[in-house]
Structure formats: C-alpha cells, structure tokens
Amino acid sequence: MSVITYLVQNHFWIFAIWVVPMSVIYDLFYLAYTRVAYIFGPTFVKHEEKVKNVQKQVRQWMEEGSKTPMCTARPCWKSISLQTMNYKNRMHKVQINMPDIIHLDEEKRLVRVEPMVSIGQLNDFLISRGWTLPVVPELDDLTIGGLVMGGGIESTSHKYGLFQYICKAFEMITADGSVVWTDKDNDPEYFCAIPFSYGTLGFLTAVDLDIVPYKPYIKLTYEPVYSLDEVVAEFTRVTNDPTVESVEGIMFNLNEGVIMNGVFTDECEPDKLNYLAKWYSPWFYKHVETYLTKRQSGVEYIPTIDFYHRQNKAFFWLMPYIIPFANNVVFRYLFGWSMPPKFSLLKWLRKNLVPKEQNENFVCQDFGYELEKLQDSLKFVDEQTKVYPIWLCPTRHCVPEGLEYLNLFKREAVHVDVGIYGFSPIKGFKPEATQKRMERHAIDTGCYVALYAETQLTRSDFDEMFEFNLRNYDKIRKRMNCEKAFPHVYEKISKLGRS
C-alpha cells in the first residue's frame, strides 16, 4: 500500500482540510462578483449575448450533422450530485456560462435569474433588499438550474410545494436553437414538463421566481418524540397546521427524534434568541439532539438567515466523515467561520483519490413516501440501512388551477422526503442490492425515489414509477423534436441508463 493510499483511507482529512481555504477564496470571489455585476450591469444585455452564444452552439451542432445528443459542458465535479456522469463523454457538449441575477421586480414580486446562480448567492442578494424565496433548499451550493431540472425541497414545502412551484416562467433554447419563454398560460404542457426533465427538453437559460417579504426571525419549536407512534402523530399534526410555516424532523433512531415547526416573524424574545450561524456554534443536528437528551420541548427565536444556513456547516451530518474534528470546540472557535468547504471540491478529491471500495456502505438518497405511509416506510428504511440520523421534510403538491391533469404525482397526498445520508453499520451491506429493494418498495407503495443520486432503476421500473408524468414528457419530446437532440431523461438519471 502506497503512502498516498494509506493516508486517503485512514486520514482523508489531511487532503480535505486544504479545501477549506480554497472554498473561502471561491466564496469571496463570487460574493464580490454578484454585487458588482448587478450594480454595474447592464446584466440584461449580457444575458442576451450569452443566450445568442448558446443558440450559435446549437446551430453549429445542427450544421455538423447532429451526430450525437447534446448536453451541457459543466464538469461533473461541479455538480452537487454524487452520480458519475459518464454520458457526457459520448455527447456534444454546449458551454453555458450563466451565473448572473438578471433582474429584481419588486412590484410583481419576481426575480429573474440565470441557471448557474446558486441558492445561497441568490438568497443573500434578495435578503439585502428585504426579500427572500418561499422555498430555500438546504445547501447553498445548489444551483437554480439544478433545482428546476432536478427538484428541490425545504421545510416550507408543506406550504409552498417543491421548488418548481415557485417558478413562474422558463426561458429555454430548444432543439433547433430557438428561444422560447414558457409559462402556465402560453404553453402549460411544456411548462409542466420542464421540472425533473434534467435538461432533456432544451437548455434552460433563465427562470422567473416568486419572492416574498423577508422576516428577520423564525420562532422554532422543538418537540422530542420517543416512539414511532409519537413521531408520526406529531409530524402529521404540524404538517396539517395552517399556522405553521416550517416543518422538518430529525430521527436519531427508529423510535426517537425531534420534530420542529416554525413561524417567521418580525420580532423576537431576546432571552430566547439563538444565533445558529456563529462560527463557534455547535452543528445544527447536534443542537437539535440536546432536546432529545433533555427530554423536554423548547422554543427558540433564530435569525432567519441563520436558519437558512443551518445544515451547511455539517452538510447535514456528513462532515465528521470528511474532517472528523470539525465539530471540536477548538476547531470551531479557530476555523468554524470557514465551514463548510465547497462540496464540489470535496467531490473532486473523493473521485480522484478515494478507492471505490471505501464508499461501498455509503448511502445518500431521498425517498418521497406518502405521509399516511410514513410509519411503515421508516420501519422499512431502518431494516434496510440502519443509517441515522434521518431527515424528514413534508411537501404538498401545488399544481396551478386547471392543470391538474399535468400533475407530477399520482395522488394529491402529502409526501415526506426521507433523507438517508451516511454509512450503514450493517455487516456485509450491499448498496446496489439495497437500493433496488428500496426502489421496488417505493414502486409497490406508490412512492418515489429522488433522481439526483445513484439509482438502480431499470427502464421498466422507471416507466412504472413515473408513468403518470412520462405521458406528458414523451409528448413534449416528440413535439419539440428532442428525441435526436437530447438524451431521454432515463439515460441521465439511472446508473443502468447511463451505461
């Protein structure tokens, strides 16, 4: 065994820790770039030029004979997904460099952005002007394009739905190089087919998003639960409470967890104020766990901007696998301000340095189970993986009136995102076989697998799970002449499809 291999397998933090200063420089650069670009624009003119450049590349592809399907040229390591995107190697790559916020329309309560803008970058920009997004997904590095094309969820989704439901219009470059603006009124079938299409119906170049007034605090209630019956009862209660604006849960084992509900507010009680984002603060999930060990509920007021970033420092709870001492009080006081390192840079390190076998018992997947089936689903997940903590987040389906027939889901039931992130302690754990069993269970119970992570779906399994949505998707593929221009979505999201 070489020295490098030994260090990677036993002391990966030695490599990962160098990502910290690189990440700080990266973040500072993009923060400055965003502010300067918006102030000194004109961004809209620059956007028009970038759109023309993409059109030119598509038309060049046509002139060269349209030999292979197109995809974006964005490097795989920049994606938040852990998928190995080998399909890019056999496709025609189109450069799309669009990281700008185009326009804020406060009167219409809309913001127009390009697809490579990150959720952290956009929300910091909006907050500085007194606005925010109704749905702010958990990790700052997620891009707007990824959230549109691949889906996004947050603790406010039980009220507003998935990220696509706050999207009001999409600017797309189609298979023939045309520019099309689509919304629920001018082309509802195309508009509803774009979410979860993973760039297989055209290139997204801009999106209009709803904004709402920013309130500086969230009143967050922590409710520890000590049995599976309590978990389901409390989670169902707060999800169906119309006064609650934020709902999530963290399960620390099958029978114990903390269910949180929150209301955004303009005022706070100073003696209950908790600045979660202080560089020396404990990681959020460890803070939540204290309510479980104290065996009592509690109420805190948290600055909203801190709440939005609550999962960042620890990547939920994956940071101990990367930098084991990152939650040490000394490290937090000295270097906590630099957390988290850039996920994309860590992904590059892991892909190029870490042996494949070292990740064989790693699970990173979300399943969308119906709320009424949550108890049985949690038992099944526990049986299959034994991975904890587990994240719970509910979502409703907010299909525009009159477009119910284009619903992305079979039923209007509330679904719960069950996020499973970590290493399984099961001896002889087989990730691929486990994933197949969990996917089969989802199909049999009318539920879904998130497509951002590795899946083992066969084409027939995929068609069975998403049959209700594929009818409209396949119709649009034919109408927009996408079948030769872009791969089928299955060829991008399934490990089997990509191979």
Side-chain angles (χ1 to χ4, degrees), residues 11-57:
H11 303 285
F12 183 68
W13 64 268
I14 294 175
F15 300 92
I17 201 167
W18 287 101
V19 177
V20 174
M22 294 167 61
S23 301
V24 171
I25 295 170
Y26 186 97
D27 285 337
L28 288 174
F29 171 80
Y30 271 98
L31 176 63
Y33 173 83
T34 303
R35 300 292 172 87
V36 172
Y38 189 82
I39 294 171
F40 294 101
T43 307
F44 187 75
V45 174
K46 291 191 293 183
H47 176 71
E48 290 289 302
E49 293 172 355
K50 286 182 277 189
V51 168
K52 289 177 180 177
N53 178 261
V54 176
Q55 288 181 281
K56 180 180 177 182
Q57 293 179 71

Side-chain angles (χ1 to χ4, degrees), residues 2-293:
S2 69
V3 174
I4 294 294
T5 302
Y6 171 80
L7 291 175
V8 167
Q9 291 183 354
N10 298 280
H11 303 285
F12 183 68
W13 64 268
I14 294 175
F15 300 92
I17 201 167
W18 287 101
V19 177
V20 174
M22 294 167 61
S23 301
V24 171
I25 295 170
Y26 186 97
D27 285 337
L28 288 174
F29 171 80
Y30 271 98
L31 176 63
Y33 173 83
T34 303
R35 300 292 172 87
V36 172
Y38 189 82
I39 294 171
F40 294 101
T43 307
F44 187 75
V45 174
K46 291 191 293 183
H47 176 71
E48 290 289 302
E49 293 172 355
K50 286 182 277 189
V51 168
K52 289 177 180 177
N53 178 261
V54 176
Q55 288 181 281
K56 180 180 177 182
Q57 293 179 71
V58 173
R59 288 167 182 157
Q60 183 179 356
W61 167 80
M62 295 173 66
E63 291 170 1
E64 293 174 353
S66 312
K67 297 175 183 178
T68 58
M70 292 180 288
C71 68
T72 68
R74 188 187 188 204
C76 300
W77 63 270
K78 284 190 175 183
S79 170
I80 201 77
S81 170
L82 294 176
Q83 294 175 350
T84 301
M85 301 174 185
N86 294 328
Y87 64 84
K88 285 182 178 277
N89 297 330
R90 59 178 183 270
M91 294 185 185
H92 181 89
K93 299 184 183 69
V94 174
Q95 296 285 345
I96 299 180
N97 184 27
M98 295 189 169
D100 291 331
I101 298 166
I102 301 172
H103 179 61
L104 174 64
D105 190 329
E106 297 184 82
E107 185 176 338
K108 293 182 178 179
R109 292 193 174 194
L110 290 174
V111 62
R112 179 169 295 180
V113 301
E114 293 178 334
M116 292 173 63
V117 172
S118 73
I119 193 70
Q121 171 191 351
L122 175 58
N123 211 40
D124 287 347
F125 167 84
L126 290 173
I127 289 172
S128 69
R129 289 156 175 79
W131 299 94
T132 187
L133 299 173
V135 179
V136 183
E138 303 291 339
L139 300 178
D140 280 357
D141 285 349
L142 295 167
T143 64
I144 301 303
L147 292 167
V148 169
M149 293 296 184
I153 190 172
E154 216 276 333
S155 64
T156 57
S157 288
H158 76 292
K159 178 178 180 180
Y160 295 103
L162 297 173
F163 190 81
Q164 69 240 28
Y165 294 125
I166 69 169
C167 300
K168 295 306 175 187
F170 303 118
E171 182 186 59
M172 303 288 292
I173 294 179
T174 61
D176 64 358
S178 301
V179 179
V180 175
W181 271 101
T182 180
D183 59 30
K184 68 179 180 64
D185 297 317
N186 69 11
D187 193 346
E189 292 184 341
Y190 189 30
F191 176 74
C192 288
I194 289 170
F196 293 119
S197 65
Y198 284 82
T200 62
L201 298 176
F203 292 116
L204 179 70
T205 51
V207 56
D208 285 351
L209 298 166
D210 276 334
I211 56 174
V212 294
Y214 176 72
K215 293 186 178 181
Y217 304 101
I218 183 171
K219 180 182 179 182
L220 194 65
T221 300
Y222 302 83
E223 191 64 49
V225 284
Y226 297 94
S227 73
L228 203 49
D229 288 337
E230 281 188 67
V231 170
V232 174
E234 177 64 13
F235 198 79
T236 302
R237 183 188 73 79
V238 293
T239 297
N240 292 322
D241 185 340
T243 66
V244 171
E245 296 179 290
S246 171
V247 176
E248 69 180 323
I250 298 178
M251 299 293 296
F252 294 93
N253 58 58
L254 180 59
N255 294 297
E256 295 183 324
V258 179
I259 309 302
M260 291 158 277
N261 73 86
V263 177
F264 294 100
T265 176
D266 290 312
E267 299 178 350
C268 75
E269 298 178 32
D271 61 324
K272 295 181 179 179
L273 186 58
N274 180 7
Y275 289 96
L276 280 181
K278 290 290 188 181
W279 75 92
Y280 51 78
S281 298
W283 291 338
F284 180 66
Y285 81 97
K286 298 301 290 185
H287 173 65
V288 171
E289 192 175 19
T290 63
Y291 286 94
L292 192 67
T293 56

Side-chain angles (χ1 to χ4, degrees), residues 335-356:
F335 302 106
W337 55 270
S338 65
M339 291 284 104
K342 298 300 287 187
F343 184 88
S344 55
L345 297 178
L346 287 171
K347 181 180 174 181
W348 182 90
L349 277 178
R350 185 164 289 276
K351 177 183 176 182
N352 288 278
L353 293 178
V354 179
K356 181 180 178 181

